[in-house]
Amino acid sequence: MTTASTATTACPFHNGKPFDPLDPQQVEDPFPWMAEARRSVPVFYLEKYDVWCVTRYADVEQVLRDTDNISSANAIRIRPLPPELPNVFP
């Protein structure tokens, strides 16, 4: 698996548009963006939302199982949801 220290922080692009999980077009059809991410940047940082995105099943599984090396225990903080979230997911 790619680790945070070796992962690119570049967000994948599809048809010239960066991945944004709250973009209405991408919400409607996320499959092209996810396929591109799995091919080109399977682990990337979404600066806009301050989160890491892991797109391949095996990597997600490893993240969930490797609690010794990968944890959000010290990073969890209460923060407001993006204001556009209710509009995208009513």
Side-chain angles (χ1 to χ4, degrees), residues 3-87:
T3 64
S5 62
T6 61
T8 179
T9 58
C11 192
F13 282 75
H14 179 73
N15 291 335
K17 191 172 183 181
F19 175 70
D20 181 345
L22 299 182
D23 178 284
Q25 288 179 326
Q26 294 180 34
V27 169
E28 180 139 338
D29 185 16
F31 303 107
W33 278 269
M34 289 287 95
E36 180 59 35
R38 284 190 301 274
R39 275 193 303 275
S40 64
V41 192
V43 177
F44 59 92
Y45 182 68
L46 283 168
E47 185 173 351
K48 181 177 180 180
Y49 302 112
D50 190 25
V51 298
W52 283 92
C53 185
V54 181
T55 62
R56 294 186 302 202
Y57 182 87
D59 294 338
V60 170
E61 189 173 48
Q62 182 175 348
V63 166
L64 293 172
R65 292 178 189 268
D66 188 357
T67 57
D68 290 336
N69 296 303
I70 304 170
S71 173
S72 62
N74 296 322
I76 294 176
R77 61 194 178 282
I78 303 299
R79 60 181 169 185
L81 293 174
E84 61 271 22
L85 188 64
N87 297 330

